[in-house]
Structure formats: structure tokens, C-alpha cells
Amino acid sequence: NKSQKEEDSKVILAMLWSGQVNESIAYLQTNIIGKNELKIAFRNLWKNKTYLFINLIGLSVAFGISTLLFLTAYDLLTFDQFHEQNGPVYRVYQKINEAQGEQYGNSMPLPMRGALKAEFPEVKLAVRVLDGGVQILKEDKLINEGITFTDSDFFQVFGYKLLKGNSTTALKELSNVVVREDVAKNLFGEQDPMGKTITVSHGDKQQYYIVSGILEKGPDNTSIDHEMLVRIENVGEYNNNKDRWDANQHTLYIKLDEKTTATAFEKRLKSFTAKYYKGNIAQLKKEGAKPDDRGEVISTRIMGLSESHFDTKVGGRNQAINKVYPYTLLIVGIIILLIAAINFINLSIAKSFGRAKEVGMRKALGAFKTQIMGQFWGEAFLICIAAFGAGILIAYLLIPQYNAIFRTTLSLQMLKTPVLLAAIFLCFAFITLIAGGYPALAVTRFNTVEVLKGKVKVSGSSGGIRNSLIIFQFTMSVLLIACTLIVWTQIKYLRSKPLGFNATQVYSIPIGNEIAGKRLLQHFRNRLSNQPRFLSMTGSDVNLGRGLDGSFSKSVLGFEHNGKSIQTNMRTADYEFVKTLDLKLIDGRDFSEAYATDTTGAVVINETMAKQLGVKDPIGVTLNTDNKHKVIGVVKDFHFESLHRQIEAVTFFMNGFSINYIFVKIAPDHVDETIALLKKTYNEVAPKSEFQGSFLDENTNNQYKKEERLSQIFFSAATLAIILSCLGLFAIAIMVISQRTKEIGVRKVLGASVVSITTLLSVDFLKMVGVAIIIASPVAWWLMDQWLADFAYRTEIQWWIFIATALLSVAIAFLTVSFQAIRAALTNPTKSLRSE
């Protein structure tokens, strides 16, 4: 305003009068030139609305989506680190070097904890953890909850705190129970739960616990998460197995003193393993097992808790994931940011040549290079800061849908963590400096005289940089498209591969804890077996695939047979198991009520188990198990686990574990009415429990949710990368074609057709897309071949995937460029020739 100008003038004149020339120049630059530059920046941005719109949309979307991807990656990479704030926590596991190959054991025997603490003073703490499920009796309802059997020093090992109770004495008594805060509120409302009694129902048995502590709810990215904690001595088989080294059933975690490293401790474990597994080692050597690189046939080892989540061999308590997965999210997020930044750089460089006369005039009037750079960089900074704010808003709005689709529990509160704040700041600074700084540096190199004569044009180096950046954009886009198609073909292969059992007509019903499995199965048979819509039914201890209850377990039985060590998956099965699942019986028979001894002394095995026994005719062979079971049938191998794993030996017992699932084979017609009848029959004897039935084909598909999420991420990233690349390509095409306006007019006057002009203008861009395809295709093949190696059963990478990717990329690029090219070719040549 007028008064401010007068004040500024007086200050500058006073400084000049007193000889303070440098001070007057500094005041001028700070208080007057700075304000003008800000006004010029806003004017220029508003004048070039298309440029502003493309950059704002591209950068804000890129910032928003990348924020979500970075948060997901951070959530995965910090998995279980919550428990290692006061020093590392180690998980104990074993590597068994059998003659057939390496095996890894996660479950440990009950006496190992006491032996480690007694023989190794460096073991400060050791905790056994065994998960289970129970139902809590509340008034007239049963509430399903998880229960964890553990030791009294649980809270000294893991990172949880008690909101109420004493962490050193909360699990002192066998009757104590520590309840998580949300479970306590569900059970007792606003009442103080301390000292209250909880009635726990497990099958037909009831147990009573007294609340001695309230557990805080930990973070979602942990595998050590429990609704209720009780002492491990409450496990039903504890007294029978407490001294047995051949009964592995729980996970063992330890803490070492500060002076002992994991490597040093593992070396000391060599003598420990040789002492307690002497017989097993001798037997394995007899069968041809060779020592590993450490000289051990069986080695007891330790692994950091957070590290075990990413070890697919040893595995976490929840399903382990490959560490490639979070790093893939990081890379995809960086790719999206780079594509948006490249658009910004290309458009900034292209627009800078349109402002060449402005730069020349300012330089002629005495502007410094730093001032011109500051002007252009300031405009870039304004766009970046606006895009960053819009990106955070986009991330905030998309988080609920993102969490639902990808089964995450993200929150923008995670941005408060110092590591993420630093990463986001560096990312923002990098994009602002590169995307704004490089074009600003380029314009300062303009020759003032040439600029004012109107002779400035795009240099060869600038064009080369622009083309290189476009090639990079489309290389990333092609890479993501190819990866998406390969992941999609693998998922399709997993879903369509024959599993060796009937997954479409068999309905799986989790029994729950309200009633014993045998009793419920008999009730189903009494009520439904005489109806034609129910073809057969059976029971098992383990589901096939992942049902609605989310439960998964695995039991391995080891024994000697004819001087040979045998390992087999152990599963419970009831009558009509083979018939219900449509398994192919290649020898012998199924369990039958006609043979009374089947319930206690018979087993059915698969082909792999028969080969392990090493006999021509396995029927009638007696296995050297506790009760000397006899083989009565052999079924063709089928996939009772996911296709990540090879088919292993499996043995079905009638007197193994309790029945936890009922499988019902139903007729294909009137399915809804049939399921309604199953639910009604279930509720007759378990009215307090939730009915969680599902078809086996749904369960088997649920095993590949991780791959589906990866496919969705690739597809979303590829779509976004293509859109951003095309957005930038479209803007560059507009600017390049506008520089050739007179050329187009001359060609039209000389008789060139619309098709020939369109082809001429498009071919240079399509060449760049072709180069991107050549670069991206082998990289995509190598990356996805590494990813597919994680599957025991995998599809081959087909040639047509790369052809389809190439055609799709070329078609998208051509449509993007040709729209503007056709528009230019249709322009009246009279206008074109007047354009300059």
C-alpha cells in the first residue's frame, strides 16, 4: 500500500545517505523484492491453470497413495518390535538335517525351559506360550475368547504392561487369570474386575479362574496378542508331558543377559542338543542324515522375535510373510512418487522456455541468478506444499477403505513416530529440491542476448533428459502391469488346481467349545442322515483351508519304524471321512463302524506316508506309535495344506485329538435351505455359540488372501502409474506439438493427410514407450520368478503376458498422444502459419 511504500523509500534513502549501500540492497531484496516475487509466483501459477492442475492432481494423489503404502510397509517392518524395547527377545527353534532334506521345528518340549535356565546362567528369562480357545460363561451366554497358557514371568519378557495388578505376582497362582482390558469390559462392564471369578467352558468341562490383572491392549502389529493369560500348568496334558522330550507342543521365548550374543549362545547350545537328543541324532545318522555346515544333525537355535515374522521356513506365530512384501510396498510407493515428480520436472522445464523472455528481461535489469532460481523454486515449493497437504487429506479419507480392502489397521497417528516423520520430511524435501530446483537451475543458464532476440529453443540436452524421464515413467508402468498380470495368473492357478478332494459340495462347521465334538457329530447324524439332501458327514480336528473362525493348527508325530525315523502329520478323522471328501482310496478301506477296533487301533495314510514306510503293501503294517496302530487304508495324495507347501505325509487316527470340525457333503440343489437346516440343528445343542459354517472351496481360497492383496496393490499401483504417466505425456505432447505448429501448417499446405501428421507427431513418443517395454520386460520376469519360488506349486511365466503388456502400454500411450496430435492436424493451416 501507499504508506508502506513511502516507509520503505525513507528507510532505503536513509541507508544510502549514510553510506550503507550493502545494507540498503539487503533491505530491498528482503522487504520489497521478496513480496513482489511472491505475487509473481501466484500470478504465474494462476495464469497457467492447466500446468497447475496437472501438477497438483499428480503430486497430491502420489503423496496420498504413497503415504498409505509407506505406513503399511512401516507397520510390517516394525512387527513385534514393541516387545523388544528393553532388549531382544529370542524364539527357540530347531533345524533337523534329515536325509531327505532340512526340516524346521517351532514347537518345543515342556521340560526344555527348565533345562535351559538350569544349565545356562546367561538365560535370564524363559517363557512358554501355548494358544487355545475357550468359551466364557456369562449369564446365559457363552462368549468365545482366546486363551494363552504361559509362565509367571510373561510380563518380564514381553512389552505389555498391566493396567491393574502386579506384573510379578499376577500369574503366581494356578487359579489366576489376566484379562485384556477390552475383554474385561465386555465381561464386567464398568465394574472393577479384580478378584472376580470367570467360568471357562471347554467342551463338557468347566474351570474357574480369579482375575488378578488387567492387560493393556497392545499394538496391532504383534503376534504376541492375548485375550486371557493363565498358567501353562492348566493345560490338560501337562502332567503327562512335563518330563517328555518327544512331545513338542508350545513355543519357547528367552531373554539373554546383556553380555551374551545370539551367535555365542547358539554355539553353547550344541552340547545341550547332543545331550537331550542323543537318540534322535543317532537314529537320523543311521538313516543317512549328514551334519550341516555347523557339524550338527539336530541343532537348537534362536531367532529374534521381530525377525521370525519374516522367516517363511521357521515361521511366525501368525503366518509368516516374506520380507519382500513390505519392501515391495516401499518400492511401489517410491515409483509412484517418482512418476509424479518426473511429470513435475518435465512440465517445469517445458514451461520455463515459455518464460524465457521474462528471465532475459530480469537478468538484463540486474537480477541475480539466486533471485531467478528462488523465483522458480518458490513456485515449485508452493505447488509441493499444497499437493502435500492435499495428499495427507486424501490418505485420511482413503484409510477406512484401504484398511478394509487390505486388512490393515493403519491410522494417521502413526505419522507421529520420529522415523516416519523424518522419512516424510526427507521425501518432501527431495521432491521439492529436485522437481523445483533443476528447472530453476536450467533457466538461469539462458543467454540474455539470445533470449531477448527470441532465439531460445529447447536444447538437445534438455530434450534428452525429458525423453529419459518419460522412458523411466513408462518403464515403471510396464513393470507394474506385467507384475500384476503374473500375480493374477498365479492366483488363478492356485484356485483352479485340483486339490484331490471335493471342495465345492462339502460344508465345514466349526464346533466351538460349548459341546464336545463327538457328541455334536452324533447329534447331526441322528437328525440328518436319513434326509437325501445330506449325502454323508464326518469329523476332524483341523479344518481344510481357513474357515470363518480363522483357526489353523498342525501336529507332527515322530516315531521309529523298522529302524527308520518316521515323521507324519497327525490328524483326526471319523467314519465316512474318505467318502465325504471324495478322496481316492487306492488300497484298503475307510474307517467303518463294522470294525470295533478302528476307533482305537486303525489308521488311514496317504501315498507319501506309504512311501516313507518303505514297504510294497502297507495294508496291515503296524506303526510303532503309543497304541500300535495298524494301517487299514491308503488314499491318493491330496493338498491338505496350501499350495505354498509340497504334499507331506499324513496319518488319520480316530482316537487322535478331539473333533473340532464337522464336514457335511450336501446335494447341489436347494443349498440355502440345506445350510439353514444345518444351522438350526447346530443351535439345538449349542444355542450359546456362533454358527460359523463355510464351504471348503471358500476356505481354500482364503489361504491366498496375502497374494490377493499383493495383486490388488500391484493393480492399483499400475493403474495409478499409467494415469500419472499419461497425464504427464499428454501435457508434454501439448507443449511439443505447440512448438511445431508452423511445421504442421506447412505440411498441410503441401498436402499431408491427417493420418500422416498424426503418425509423425506420435511416433517419437511411441519409440520411447518401446524402449521402456524392452527395459521393463526382463526385469519383471526376474522379479516375479523370484516371487513364484515361494510356491511349491506355481504357474509358468507365459510369453503372452509381455505381449499383452506391450500392446496395452502402446495403445494407452498412442491414445494419449494422438488425441492432441489429431487436434493439431485438423487445425486450419492459416491459423498454424500465423501462430508465430
Side-chain angles (χ1 to χ4, degrees), residues 34-102:
K35 295 173 186 176
N36 290 336
E37 285 178 342
L38 191 61
K39 289 178 184 178
I40 293 169
F42 279 115
R43 273 190 208 135
N44 280 322
L45 292 175
W46 188 249
K47 181 181 177 182
N48 300 288
K49 295 184 185 68
T50 303
Y51 160 78
L52 177 63
F53 174 78
I54 289 174
N55 278 329
L56 271 179
I57 293 296
L59 282 174
S60 58
V61 170
F63 274 130
I65 300 302
S66 298
T67 297
L68 293 176
L69 294 176
F70 292 158
L71 286 177
T72 307
Y74 177 80
D75 190 58
L76 292 172
L77 290 171
T78 56
F79 203 91
D80 274 334
Q81 289 185 7
F82 166 73
H83 300 291
E84 299 186 319
Q85 297 170 2
N86 298 321
V89 178
Y90 297 101
R91 178 178 182 173
V92 181
Y93 72 99
Q94 286 188 328
K95 179 188 173 190
I96 305 165
N97 218 46
E98 297 178 347
Q100 299 84 5
E102 296 176 354

Side-chain angles (χ1 to χ4, degrees), residues 282-301:
Q283 181 61 37
L284 287 169
K285 285 183 176 179
K286 193 187 299 182
E287 295 168 11
K290 303 293 183 184
D292 59 12
D293 55 349
R294 299 188 185 184
E296 296 180 273
V297 175
I298 299 177
S299 56
T300 305
R301 305 186 178 195

Side-chain angles (χ1 to χ4, degrees), residues 66-300:
S66 298
T67 297
L68 293 176
L69 294 176
F70 292 158
L71 286 177
T72 307
Y74 177 80
D75 190 58
L76 292 172
L77 290 171
T78 56
F79 203 91
D80 274 334
Q81 289 185 7
F82 166 73
H83 300 291
E84 299 186 319
Q85 297 170 2
N86 298 321
V89 178
Y90 297 101
R91 178 178 182 173
V92 181
Y93 72 99
Q94 286 188 328
K95 179 188 173 190
I96 305 165
N97 218 46
E98 297 178 347
Q100 299 84 5
E102 296 176 354
Q103 296 288 337
Y104 291 87
N106 303 310
S107 298
M108 297 294 114
L110 287 170
M112 181 178 280
R113 172 182 180 258
L116 284 175
K117 292 184 75 173
E119 299 186 24
F120 298 99
E122 58 264 48
V123 178
K124 288 169 53 180
L125 297 163
V127 169
R128 298 168 291 185
V129 175
L130 176 62
D131 288 331
V134 293
Q135 289 183 317
I136 301 172
L137 186 62
K138 181 186 178 184
E139 298 171 356
D140 59 342
K141 292 191 304 183
L142 283 175
I143 301 172
N144 290 317
E145 292 292 354
I147 191 167
T148 298
F149 302 93
T150 186
D151 292 294
S152 58
D153 45 3
F154 176 90
F155 300 104
Q156 282 71 51
V157 173
F158 299 109
Y160 288 110
K161 296 178 182 176
L162 286 181
L163 302 176
K164 289 186 178 181
N166 188 315
S167 59
T168 57
T169 60
L171 291 174
K172 183 179 180 181
E173 305 296 332
L174 296 185
S175 59
N176 290 154
V177 61
V178 174
V179 185
R180 200 171 64 191
E181 54 181 318
D182 55 322
V183 178
K185 190 169 184 179
N186 184 33
L187 293 176
F188 302 104
E190 299 303 321
Q191 298 179 35
D192 184 1
M194 294 295 289
K196 296 256 189 323
T197 301
I198 292 178
T199 305
V200 171
S201 174
H202 189 81
D204 293 331
K205 297 179 181 178
Q206 286 189 345
Q207 224 164 341
Y208 302 94
Y209 294 103
I210 299 170
V211 178
S212 57
I214 305 302
L215 184 70
E216 69 169 348
K217 194 177 188 315
D220 293 305
N221 61 339
T222 177
S223 58
I224 313 295
D225 186 26
H226 312 289
E227 288 85 1
M228 299 193 302
L229 297 167
V230 297
R231 289 279 292 275
I232 198 168
E233 289 86 349
N234 290 301
V235 174
E237 309 86 19
Y238 182 85
N239 288 328
N240 295 332
N241 296 330
K242 63 181 181 180
D243 298 318
R244 290 182 57 180
W245 284 82
D246 60 342
N248 301 334
Q249 59 181 163
H250 70 274
T251 314
L252 181 61
Y253 299 92
I254 64 171
K255 265 196 167 186
L256 303 174
D257 61 32
E258 293 78 8
K259 297 178 182 179
T260 306
T261 64
T263 305
F265 182 66
E266 277 192 348
K267 289 179 181 178
R268 300 222 328 133
L269 284 173
K270 188 173 182 178
S271 58
F272 176 85
T273 309
K275 174 181 177 182
Y276 289 101
Y277 291 91
K278 184 177 181 181
N280 304 67
I281 294 169
Q283 181 61 37
L284 287 169
K285 285 183 176 179
K286 193 187 299 182
E287 295 168 11
K290 303 293 183 184
D292 59 12
D293 55 349
R294 299 188 185 184
E296 296 180 273
V297 175
I298 299 177
S299 56
T300 305

Side-chain angles (χ1 to χ4, degrees), residues 431-500:
I431 290 176
T432 307
L433 288 172
I434 297 299
Y438 177 76
L441 182 64
V443 298
T444 61
R445 295 176 179 174
F446 290 164
N447 184 295
T448 307
V449 176
E450 295 295 317
V451 166
L452 294 176
K453 287 181 179 180
K455 293 183 179 180
V456 171
K457 60 181 180 179
V458 178
S459 67
S461 61
S462 296
I465 291 171
R466 181 199 68 203
N467 293 346
S468 299
L469 293 176
I470 291 174
I471 289 171
F472 177 81
Q473 280 184 311
F474 273 91
T475 299
M476 296 298 101
S477 300
V478 170
L479 180 66
L480 290 171
I481 292 171
C483 291
T484 300
L485 289 175
I486 293 170
V487 173
W488 176 76
T489 55
Q490 175 64 9
I491 293 173
K492 184 180 177 183
Y493 172 82
L494 294 174
R495 287 179 167 176
S496 60
K497 181 175 172 59
L499 299 176

